[in-house]
Amino acid sequence: MEKMSRVTTAHSSSAISGRTMFCHLDAPANAISVCRDATQVVVAGRNIFKIYALEEEQFVEKLNLRVGRKPSLNFSCADVMWHQMEENLLATAATNGAVVTWNLGKPSRNKQDQLFTEHKRTVNKVCFHPTDVYMLLSGSQDGFMKCFDLRKKESVSTFSGQSESVRDVQFSIKDYFTFAATFENGNVQVWDIRRPDRYERMFTAHTGPVFCCDWHPDDRGWLATGGRDKMVKVWDMTTNRAKEIYCVQTIASVARVKWRPEKKFHLATCSMMVDHNIYVWDVRRPFIPFATFEEHKDVTTGIVWRHQHDPHFLLSGSKDSTLYQHMFKDATRPVDKANPEGLCFGLFGDLAFAAKESLISSDANRKPYPGGDRRYPIFFFKKPDPTEQFAHVSSALSVFETDLDSNRMDWFVKTAQLYLLCGKPFAELCDHNAKVARELKRPQVSTTWTMLRIMFSDPANPTTPGLNHSLSNKLGTLPLMNSFSMKEMGPGMGTESRLERSKGESRQDNAHLEPGILHISNNNEENEETEGSEGQAEYMFGDAELDDDDLYSMEHENQTEEQECTLPQEAFQLRHEIMDNPSAPEHLQQDKADSPHVSGNEAEVTCLTPIESFSLISISQPLFSPHLPASFFCPIVREMLSYYAEQGDVQMAVSVLIVLGDRIRKEIDDLTQEHWYMSYIDLLQRFELWNVSNEVIKLSTCSAITCLNQASTTLHINCSNCKRPMSNKGWICDRCHQCASVCAVCHHVVKGLFVWCQGCSHGGHLEHIMNWLKSSAHCPAGCGHLCEYT
Amino acid sequence: MASNGYNTPGLGSGRHRYESESDVGPTVNSLARLCSKDEDERAASLEELSQGVLACLGSDRLISKQTLLNLLRLSRSCPLQEVRGRATELLHTAQEQGVEVPRALASGPSAFIPAKEMLKEVPDQDILIESFLSVGRVDHITMVMAMHPAYLSCFLRTQHALLEMDGPLPRHWRHYIAVMAAARHHCSYLVQQHSAGFLDAGGEESWLSGLKHAPTKLRSLQTLNKLLAHRPWLITLQHIQELVCPGAEHRWSLAELIHAVILMAHAHSLCSFGWGCGLNPEPNHIGGYTFQLPSPSHLPRSPHSPHSPAHEDGRQELGDGAMEVEVLMQRMVELQQQEEECTQEEMVTRFERERSESIPTTVVREAPPDLVLGLVEEPEFRYEDFAPKGEQSPPTMRAQDYSWEDHGFSLVNRLLPDMGQLLDEKFQVVSNMTYHRMAMHEGVDTHTLRKALWNYIHCLYGIRYDDYDYGSVNVLLERSLKVFVKTMACHPEQTTARVYHAFWRHFRHSEKVHANLIVMEARLQAALLYTLRAITHYMR
């Protein structure tokens, strides 16, 4: 409050103090203005023109300037301004085009002093010169600005904007002769008061009307403008071309903008439509208001800082017929309610996660930042007031790259190419496909294939060894996958690479990062080490590769994780002996989630694995008793297929569907099948796997799919002579009666199969060309092209 | 209008539908290709079209009425010379073969403006061709508006965005809303245009036979439609609340509502334009064609359909009108120089006088035509003159307190992105459009006259500009013009040729159409302002 005491002594009046308060007006306000010593405020509107005294606890009505039985339209004010040099002098802009000055020192009831009726249309704005007592400027809807000398009866100069309506005029606070005007067409003009013939400079600031502007009280070159396009822009006018240095995007058209006194980067705005709040922005932080005043029930029409050197009091008038004094300390701070975390997937499966630094790695060594960013000169450096700063929000951004191999869809392409769907006995197909999956490090899929073979194969076939192998394989990996998913929930965030950021600037130079935190590894299969919030817990990535299912699990840990571990065991659930098996991994999760010391993780996993696989293997033998018919498994397989399809692995669903063929087809309704086929074919075609796609179409049993290859088999040809489409016969043109296709070898008309070179477009009978090219490399037509027959 | 209204039978020709579907297939296809940008493609489809028709003639198959009407329409309104010629030729051939061929009753797009003069005043055909190629037809509205190409292009853009582009309402709903709106002003032209568009967009035919077949949600718009058409100043936030209130069963979202409101206001003002220009029915509309041969004793004359403006010749009373123009020019100049001071009361009185001046507009209260009968509720609800004393009159709306530029635009753009921009552009074009000429004079600043016209309409709708002296309305707008403007804005269905011909007798037709456009847009803005203000209050 040091500042304030200085202020009060300087102006020798009672100290500015007060609280958030309001009073009801009789009518909506259009504009307000304060007198220089900040003790009185004038409110003007269509049906109101009053002066209120600002007292400690309340507003007190001092004077009603609206006198007369039937007040004229000259009282209908669009704008009002209190002179900052002469405390008895007011000016209003009337909606009927009049500019009126008022002298409070007049003894009569009617304080009207001068009346200028030079404007043809509504006057939108009046502005006194900040230092010259007699100079008044007005801007009107008729496109003119006029400068009045109050000692004379009429304007001394007229400025023509040569464009549409003037919305705002403002004298520069520092340059005696300069003023800015904003226009309905989006332009801003800067004028020299001595040169009414032509503006000094003009630039387009907004799309649509520029409703307001305000010169920075301290920095001579800065001009803030607000427009219907919902933007507030700050312009640096010192350069040759006005340069936009800051831009704030608000949520509604900006009706007024006012720099906050003594705060270089703060400005207050209010809107003309829909949004009733007053915002105070820090122009360097354009995405969230620094403070908000939410008291008004209808649009705010006038805002003014109570004293030109005091940033703590804001006055506002509104269409809801109230006049408010807002204390800055009572403002809401939207930043407190903002969600500090953000999460997003990248195009190639990368995951970015931003959160408060403290959340990600609040180790004891890191100290919170005092005050704002040091790189900016802070205006009152001596006493950093925490409430005057944006809450310290430095976030850490972590980017989780996926394994180069797995983030691509390579596995999909390879699988599609390598899978065998027909042509071999069922068991061999399954084995082959299981092997393919295993080699691509997709053990779950691989196991599924193996299980399918077991379920549907002729039980007489001795297949046990293979099974044993695959089972243990699967069980070896499964719990590890769990532990991987779990780790993503941990406070430490398994990171592969981590970028630290604060306020959008790189802070690499700040050596507060411990080497241990910044642990960059591109290889997912290595174990990761990260810092936890309390203990120095160690985490480990499982050996399971990060295929895209796993990647998903970062987002929906709980849900997918559960499926992840329970689904493969669904197949076993029927076997009562191991009914309790699924609970084991769940228990494991529970453990991990509860325990802060997750370092025991690895040990648990390793000790669990043998038990599990033991129990399975030990009971695996009796399973193959030939009592169970293949159809017994059908419901399970159906569920499994649906599961895969839901997971997005429609490839698996379709492949199994084809391989199993009649064994499963009847279990699944045609529409679903067709849907799967269509999705898979669509995917294949996107990867340009035309052959596989055709094979799938051919092998499918859905009528809707097989007919895909029968569609559009017509080939339209044009006559080579007259370029008209040939409708009747393929070999003679109706129009020019020429034979279109002549064999280049025998010079007869080709009526059957016609083959032609895509290079030189010569061709002929299939056999003729075939024979010709056996003996010669050149085109039979003699064009010299080296044709090829493949 | 309808993006491709081909093969969509107008009302009443439903019985021809089956027939047309069965044999017109290729014809429809080639009709669509007729508006290809590629010249060869157009030539080919024209060829195909004539082949199809000739084949029909040769094989004694029945040519559907729809095809004939389409040919008739093409022969009359297609801006492409070759298409027009071929269509005429084909009709002629068909007639020679003994087929009963329809004949257009109207001689041009407008009953007020002779077709020849219209052609003379359309600056260039390019815009018509452009419109034909993009929309697939050139309707009478477009032809008349083509006198002012700058306006036409932004009008078509807005209309296209309203009816066809992305928006919260389904396409057939949009056309139905337009039908509902046009029905309020008994405008069978627009009703038929949008009915075709409605069917084209997949709407159910039964809806067109009466409001009771339409969904409740659409029917709930009736009150708003009625007020918007005739007395928009009565719209309050209660009306908005009823539609948007979360408790209501068939609630409207604000975005849907804004869309519907703009559609309705657009259609209402377009009705004004349609009646004000005496639009003739399209050749394929009911009342736009006949299968009867012209009786030899009569020259072809304007259609006698009861729903199209009767062609009365108002020109007989042409007096010495040249003087009038001079006087008007004189007055405009005087007004611009005049520095007359008048008291506040005087200003208010002048506004009230203009607002309540009794202009005899209501001639007859004829019952709505059958076509729209089922589509209107409370047909007797009409624009009403303000009480002369101004005591019971509704409060005026101050333009400074709720204006399009400051408030309306933001609201529309917020709820229906881009639409605000389009409307804004249209308002600007219409208020700035000038050719610097008046009747036989060149180089005239017509600003005051245009302003007076605009403000007079707003005055009729109770919107007052503080900074405007309504005395100049009285000076600039002669009584016959006021009669026309008021009739057209407030009771459009009663506009007659007499009224049209009575004002500005020495002015060009294009200048009268210009006045028409100003009235239409001013009316649109006035209606929108009231509704948007109510919506703003609701959102508060």
Side-chain angles (χ1 to χ4, degrees):
Chain A
M1 297 290 118
E2 180 188 63
K3 190 106 257 162
M4 278 174 49
S5 59
R6 189 178 64 76
V7 164
T8 41
T9 48
H11 296 284
S12 68
S13 63
S14 59
I16 299 175
S17 59
R19 57 185 187 92
T20 295
M21 58 185 183
F22 75 99
C23 74
H24 284 291
L25 311 171
D26 312 325
N30 277 349
I32 60 172
S33 184
V34 282
C35 70
R36 185 179 55 169
D37 60 8
T39 55
Q40 295 179 69
V41 56
V42 58
V43 183
R46 172 170 293 283
N47 294 311
I48 184 172
F49 190 23
K50 280 182 181 174
I51 291 178
Y52 287 86
L54 288 154
E55 298 193 350
E56 190 79 15
E57 292 290 313
Q58 60 188 340
F59 290 98
V60 175
E61 182 179 327
K62 291 275 283 199
L63 187 61
N64 188 355
L65 289 157
R66 201 177 155 80
V67 290
R69 199 172 39 82
K70 238 187 162 185
S72 83
L73 269 184
N74 294 341
F75 286 97
S76 166
C77 306
D79 191 34
V80 63
M81 181 153 180
W82 203 315
H83 204 300
Q84 294 301 298
M85 300 294 292
E86 171 58 67
E87 59 184 17
N88 277 333
L89 199 52
L90 294 166
T92 56
T95 51
N96 63 353
V99 174
V100 194
T101 59
W102 311 80
N103 185 352
L104 300 181
K106 270 192 168 184
S108 62
R109 258 186 84 224
N110 191 346
K111 308 285 186 192
Q112 182 172 329
D113 193 13
Q114 295 220 59
L115 178 69
F116 303 98
T117 51
E118 296 183 26
H119 284 295
K120 289 219 170 55
R121 307 227 18 223
T122 299
V123 179
N124 286 319
K125 195 75 186 175
V126 284
C127 182
F128 280 115
H129 195 278
T131 51
D132 188 317
V133 181
Y134 299 108
M135 207 189 291
L136 173 67
L137 188 66
S138 66
S140 157
Q141 199 75 14
D142 60 14
F144 292 103
M145 295 142 276
K146 285 176 187 287
C147 184
F148 303 94
D149 185 328
L150 299 183
R151 292 162 295 196
K152 295 180 181 163
K153 285 257 177 285
E154 52 197 36
S155 64
V156 287
S157 42
T158 300
F159 310 86
S160 167
Q162 303 288 350
S163 58
E164 293 166 69
S165 327
V166 186
R167 298 309 299 242
D168 198 358
V169 284
Q170 290 287 342
F171 274 112
S172 165
I173 292 162
K174 298 284 177 185
D175 294 320
Y176 188 92
F177 297 110
T178 309
F179 73 90
T182 70
F183 290 84
E184 202 145 84
N185 59 6
N187 286 344
V188 172
Q189 295 178 354
V190 179
W191 290 78
D192 186 316
I193 202 86
R194 297 162 295 186
R195 288 197 56 196
D197 54 326
R198 201 187 141 69
Y199 52 80
E200 299 284 297
R201 70 196 320 181
M202 176 167 83
F203 59 94
T204 302
H206 295 264
T207 52
V210 189
F211 286 139
C212 52
C213 66
D214 197 27
W215 291 93
H216 197 284
D218 298 304
D219 198 312
R220 115 181 6 230
W222 285 15
L223 179 71
T225 59
R228 193 172 70 180
D229 59 359
K230 307 179 187 172
M231 310 254 236
V232 179
K233 291 178 178 175
V234 179
W235 304 87
D236 184 355
M237 309 292 281
T238 52
T239 47
N240 273 337
R241 294 187 54 195
K243 200 174 89 192
E244 181 187 327
I245 42 176
Y246 294 108
C247 178
V248 177
Q249 173 86 54
T250 70
I251 56 167
S253 59
V254 181
R256 311 264 173 185
V257 55
K258 287 275 179 258
W259 288 100
R260 190 174 172 209
E262 310 287 298
K263 304 283 175 209
K264 179 165 180 173
F265 294 100
H266 288 190
L267 48 78
T269 66
C270 66
S271 164
M272 197 172 268
M273 276 297 287
V274 191
D275 186 13
H276 309 156
N277 297 342
I278 303 164
Y279 300 102
V280 178
W281 302 86
D282 182 324
V283 290
R284 297 163 299 177
R285 300 288 304 275
F287 304 109
I288 191 161
F290 175 61
T292 312
F293 299 101
E294 297 167 338
E295 280 84 2
H296 285 298
K297 304 278 185 295
D298 199 343
V299 284
T300 309
T301 48
I303 49 175
V304 60
W305 294 95
R306 185 170 161 188
H307 193 279
Q308 50 182 321
H309 293 291
D310 187 339
H312 301 288
F313 296 86
L314 180 69
L315 300 169
S316 68
S318 159
K319 288 255 187 213
D320 66 3
S321 306
T322 57
L323 173 66
Y324 258 91
Q325 169 170 279
H326 309 276
M327 295 294 291
F328 207 80
K329 62 176 166 50
D330 295 337
T332 38
R333 301 300 183 94
V335 74
D336 297 340
K337 296 179 200 152
N339 181 1
E341 277 97 34
L343 183 73
C344 187
F345 268 111
L347 180 61
F348 297 106
D350 295 348
L351 178 71
F353 177 69
K356 274 191 176 165
E357 273 177 339
S358 54
L359 276 181
I360 287 197
S361 49
S362 68
D363 49 300
N365 297 337
R366 182 178 298 179
K367 288 177 190 75
Y369 274 66
D373 197 316
R374 287 256 167 75
R375 286 162 44 129
Y376 291 101
I378 289 172
F379 210 66
F380 47 114
F381 209 42
K382 277 178 282 176
K383 255 188 161 183
D385 177 359
T387 63
E388 286 302 331
Q389 298 298 319
F390 249 114
H392 162 58
V393 268
S394 55
S395 306
L397 175 71
S398 320
V399 177
F400 303 83
E401 286 176 353
T402 43
D403 192 322
L404 277 182
D405 288 334
S406 58
N407 69 358
R408 306 256 166 79
M409 291 283 282
D410 286 353
W411 61 270
F412 177 87
V413 177
K414 286 210 182 96
T415 312
Q417 284 164 343
L418 294 177
Y419 268 2
L420 283 180
L421 300 178
C422 65
K424 286 192 179 176
F426 172 70
E428 276 177 55
L429 287 179
C430 285
D431 274 344
H432 174 89
N433 292 345
K435 189 160 150 267
V436 168
R438 200 162 52 240
E439 275 161 9
L440 289 169
K441 300 217 171 62
R442 305 177 70 214
Q444 194 185 332
V445 173
S446 163
T447 312
T448 310
W449 279 115
T450 315
M451 294 307 300
L452 284 172
R453 191 200 56 185
I454 297 163
M455 287 188 241
F456 290 96
S457 281
D458 186 357
N461 269 349
T463 52
T464 332
L467 171 77
N468 255 345
H469 169 73
S470 66
L471 264 187
S472 56
N473 181 3
K474 170 197 137 204
L475 290 166
T477 57
L478 201 73
L480 281 175
M481 280 164 68
N482 282 337
S483 72
F484 162 76
S485 312
M486 272 314 296
K487 240 177 302 161
E488 297 307 315
M489 295 172 72
M493 298 299 299
T495 56
E496 292 186 57
S497 64
R498 162 182 284 188
L499 304 173
E500 291 282 343
R501 275 210 210 165
S502 162
K503 295 190 177 182
E505 299 143 30
S506 162
R507 280 219 260 114
Q508 305 280 353
D509 50 341
N510 289 343
H512 61 262
L513 288 178
E514 286 195 3
I517 303 174
L518 194 70
H519 195 96
I520 299 177
S521 159
N522 284 330
N523 190 344
N524 219 345
E525 298 188 13
E526 277 181 30
N527 293 344
E528 295 285 323
E529 193 180 60
T530 43
E531 299 284 341
S533 48
E534 279 114 32
Q536 300 275 324
E538 254 185 27
Y539 297 98
M540 188 197 92
F541 266 97
D543 277 329
E545 83 290 343
L546 193 61
D547 71 15
D548 72 342
D549 281 353
D550 294 334
L551 196 64
Y552 245 99
S553 67
M554 292 183 198
E555 207 176 27
H556 320 283
E557 286 104 359
N558 295 328
Q559 174 196 347
T560 34
E561 193 181 333
E562 210 170 341
Q563 287 167 335
E564 195 87 49
C565 58
T566 53
L567 185 103
Q569 277 136 15
E570 261 180 311
F572 296 93
Q573 260 174 355
L574 289 168
R575 300 157 200 159
H576 310 285
E577 294 90 341
I578 53 165
M579 269 293 273
D580 55 343
N581 193 27
S583 67
E586 268 162 20
H587 174 66
L588 181 65
Q589 289 165 24
Q590 206 63 40
D591 243 342
K592 275 188 273 177
D594 292 340
S595 154
H597 296 286
V598 206
S599 49
N601 211 351
E602 206 178 348
E604 270 173 29
V605 170
T606 40
C607 78
L608 260 173
T609 315
I611 297 172
E612 233 180 330
S613 52
F614 168 75
S615 66
L616 273 173
I617 293 170
S618 66
I619 55 167
S620 63
Q621 295 298 340
L623 280 181
F624 296 101
S625 58
H627 301 307
L628 290 174
S631 63
F632 178 84
F633 299 107
C634 283
I636 302 156
V637 175
R638 187 180 63 215
E639 272 179 49
M640 177 202 76
L641 291 183
S642 310
Y643 163 77
Y644 274 114
E646 302 245 309
Q647 290 292 301
D649 191 359
V650 75
Q651 180 180 49
M652 183 66 182
V654 172
S655 304
V656 171
L657 201 59
I658 293 177
V659 169
L660 284 181
D662 286 332
R663 296 175 185 87
I664 191 71
R665 188 172 304 135
K666 290 185 193 69
E667 295 288 320
I668 299 164
D669 68 286
D670 286 345
L671 218 63
T672 316
Q673 285 193 34
E674 191 183 318
H675 184 63
W676 291 349
Y677 272 119
M678 290 306 281
S679 319
Y680 188 38
I681 289 166
D682 184 45
L683 270 175
L684 287 171
Q685 292 182 344
R686 271 169 208 239
F687 284 100
E688 302 182 358
L689 296 164
W690 313 113
N691 290 343
V692 186
S693 137
N694 266 339
E695 190 187 356
V696 170
I697 293 174
K698 205 173 92 187
L699 290 173
S700 75
T701 44
C702 290
S703 50
I705 302 298
T706 39
C707 74
L708 281 181
N709 270 358
Q710 270 127 51
S712 71
T713 49
T714 319
L715 191 66
H716 297 279
I717 46 176
N718 285 2
C719 171
S720 59
N721 195 37
C722 66
K723 311 284 186 238
R724 299 282 178 160
M726 306 213 300
S727 42
N728 278 349
K729 298 176 180 113
W731 49 274
I732 187 162
C733 176
D734 292 337
R735 285 194 179 71
C736 58
H737 303 289
Q738 292 253 340
C739 294
S741 34
V742 179
C743 177
V745 182
C746 67
H747 299 286
H748 282 100
V749 177
V750 186
K751 293 186 182 175
L753 282 176
F754 182 85
V755 68
W756 74 96
C757 168
Q758 288 172 349
C760 65
S761 74
H762 291 116
H765 290 110
L766 178 62
E767 299 150 52
H768 293 175
I769 297 290
M770 207 156 48
N771 291 333
W772 176 274
L773 288 175
K774 268 179 197 161
S775 54
S776 164
H778 287 87
C779 175
C783 69
H785 186 258
L786 288 170
C787 301
E788 226 177 289
Y789 185 87
T790 46
Chain B
M1 290 303 105
S3 69
N4 52 30
Y6 308 118
N7 195 29
T8 46
L11 277 177
S13 58
R15 64 202 158 88
H16 290 279
R17 248 198 137 180
Y18 175 70
E19 193 186 353
S20 56
E21 270 166 9
S22 59
D23 77 340
V24 162
T27 325
V28 168
N29 201 3
S30 58
L31 277 176
R33 278 170 58 209
L34 263 185
C35 23
S36 151
K37 302 252 177 214
D38 179 28
E39 234 171 88
D40 294 340
E41 175 100 21
R42 280 207 306 266
S45 66
L46 192 57
E47 189 63 34
E48 192 182 310
L49 176 70
S50 47
Q51 293 290 341
V53 173
L54 290 177
C56 268
L57 287 175
S59 64
D60 274 357
R61 269 160 61 210
L62 210 62
I63 301 187
S64 75
K65 178 176 166 188
Q66 211 46 53
T67 315
L68 288 173
L69 286 178
N70 277 326
L71 282 175
L72 178 64
R73 186 172 56 71
L74 281 176
S75 73
R76 306 286 304 197
S77 71
C78 181
L80 298 166
Q81 178 69 48
E82 74 269 18
V83 179
R84 219 165 45 224
R86 184 68 72 95
T88 319
E89 210 175 280
L90 283 173
L91 281 176
H92 198 69
T93 324
Q95 197 167 20
E96 279 173 355
Q97 302 260 343
V99 179
E100 216 173 57
V101 165
R103 193 166 53 81
L105 282 169
S107 59
S110 160
F112 298 167
I113 311 167
K116 265 185 202 145
E117 283 184 43
M118 175 112 70
L119 223 55
K120 224 165 36 197
E121 294 193 39
V122 171
D124 59 335
Q125 295 281 310
D126 291 357
I127 186 143
L128 289 182
I129 293 174
E130 186 57 41
S131 147
F132 177 79
L133 295 184
S134 59
V135 187
R137 67 189 306 159
V138 175
D139 52 26
H140 290 168
I141 292 180
T142 315
M143 284 160 100
V144 176
M145 280 184 187
M147 292 180 178
H148 303 281
Y151 176 80
L152 176 62
S153 65
C154 70
F155 171 83
L156 288 177
R157 251 201 318 281
T158 312
Q159 181 162 270
H160 183 70
L162 263 183
L163 291 170
E164 310 294 336
M165 303 279 272
D166 282 350
L169 292 174
R171 265 187 66 213
H172 63 284
W173 276 46
R174 304 181 194 184
H175 284 286
Y176 194 77
I177 290 170
V179 167
M180 279 165 62
R184 283 244 54 111
H185 284 311
H186 304 177
C187 181
S188 55
Y189 180 90
L190 278 185
V191 168
Q192 292 194 58
Q193 288 278 66
H194 285 290
S195 298
F198 171 74
L199 294 174
D200 194 43
E204 238 177 87
E205 208 166 341
S206 66
W207 293 14
L208 292 174
S209 60
L211 277 173
K212 54 182 181 294
H213 301 289
T216 323
K217 185 169 166 181
L218 272 175
R219 281 209 309 266
S220 64
L221 275 183
Q222 267 307 300
T223 315
L224 196 58
N225 183 21
K226 181 182 77 182
L227 293 175
L228 203 54
H230 308 295
R231 298 177 213 170
W233 54 88
L234 295 180
I235 297 172
T236 61
L237 87 151
Q238 276 78 31
H239 295 111
I240 307 297
Q241 220 155 23
E242 277 167 28
L243 294 170
V244 184
C245 159
E249 200 176 326
H250 302 278
R251 62 184 297 257
W252 286 76
S253 77
L254 277 178
E256 288 172 331
L257 185 64
I258 284 269
H259 196 176
V261 163
I262 297 176
L263 271 169
M264 287 191 287
H266 176 86
H268 292 146
S269 60
L270 204 53
C271 289
S272 280
F273 180 80
W275 287 105
C277 295
L279 285 192
N280 279 326
E282 297 278 332
N284 56 349
H285 279 176
I286 300 173
Y289 63 89
T290 177
F291 278 99
Q292 279 155 18
L293 289 172
S295 44
S297 59
H298 287 94
L299 291 168
R301 45 185 203 102
S302 58
H304 49 271
S305 146
H307 317 313
S308 65
H311 195 309
E312 307 163 38
D313 200 355
R315 292 181 167 242
Q316 284 149 4
E317 48 197 284
L318 249 183
D320 184 19
M323 273 298 289
E324 290 171 10
V325 183
E326 303 299 331
V327 170
L328 180 55
M329 296 257 307
Q330 186 66 31
R331 284 173 172 175
M332 281 166 64
V333 173
E334 275 168 14
L335 261 185
Q336 272 173 334
Q337 292 161 348
Q338 169 191 54
E339 290 292 333
E340 179 213 344
E341 279 305 311
C342 57
T343 66
Q344 218 46 59
E345 275 126 39
E346 175 60 20
M347 295 287 265
V348 178
T349 322
R350 284 179 181 179
F351 173 77
E352 289 301 334
R353 190 175 63 214
E354 288 309 321
R355 171 153 99 157
S356 50
E357 184 183 13
S358 92
I359 301 282
T361 48
T362 318
V363 190
V364 253
R365 295 216 162 198
E366 54 179 86
D370 304 342
L371 184 63
V372 300
L373 203 54
L375 297 167
V376 189
E377 269 173 14
E378 289 185 68
E380 68 282 357
F381 189 89
R382 284 271 163 265
Y383 176 89
E384 212 159 66
D385 280 345
F386 292 89
K389 288 287 170 200
E391 276 168 30
Q392 293 108 345
S393 70
T396 47
M397 171 156 159
R398 306 302 188 111
Q400 274 81 1
D401 290 353
Y402 200 94
S403 69
W404 167 256
E405 289 80 14
D406 291 5
H407 307 92
F409 172 88
S410 300
L411 185 62
V412 171
N413 236 22
R414 185 185 194 87
L415 294 171
L416 207 62
D418 299 342
M419 190 44 73
Q421 207 68 49
L422 286 165
L423 288 171
D424 198 42
E425 196 186 340
K426 195 153 65 97
F427 291 141
Q428 280 192 14
V429 166
V430 90
S431 59
N432 294 332
M433 193 163 65
T434 181
Y435 304 94
H436 301 289
R437 61 168 197 231
M438 239 172 82
M440 48 292 216
H441 300 273
E442 298 282 333
V444 188
D445 180 6
T446 58
H447 180 260
T448 45
L449 186 58
R450 286 180 282 134
K451 194 84 210 156
L453 211 47
W454 182 277
N455 286 356
Y456 179 59
I457 313 294
H458 276 195
C459 165
L460 290 176
Y461 277 92
I463 298 175
R464 178 175 167 203
Y465 292 81
D466 286 343
D467 53 1
Y468 189 75
D469 176 8
Y470 287 85
S472 36
V473 169
N474 222 15
V475 176
L476 295 177
L477 308 191
E478 57 187 58
R479 195 172 166 81
S480 54
L481 173 57
K482 277 189 189 167
V483 170
F484 171 73
V485 166
K486 187 166 181 184
T487 313
M488 182 190 150
C490 307
H491 307 277
E493 62 278 8
Q494 285 160 10
T495 318
T496 56
R498 180 187 297 276
V499 176
Y500 176 84
H501 289 298
F503 77 100
W504 281 3
R505 281 174 290 182
H506 278 262
F507 283 60
R508 294 181 178 88
H509 281 295
S510 70
E511 286 166 322
K512 291 191 171 191
V513 171
H514 189 168
N516 253 328
L517 292 177
I518 292 176
V519 176
M520 159 180 163
E521 289 297 324
R523 186 189 164 185
L524 172 68
Q525 195 182 71
L528 278 181
L529 281 178
Y530 279 111
T531 326
L532 294 175
R533 187 177 66 167
I535 292 176
T536 310
H537 285 176
Y538 168 78
M539 288 168 76
R540 193 164 62 194

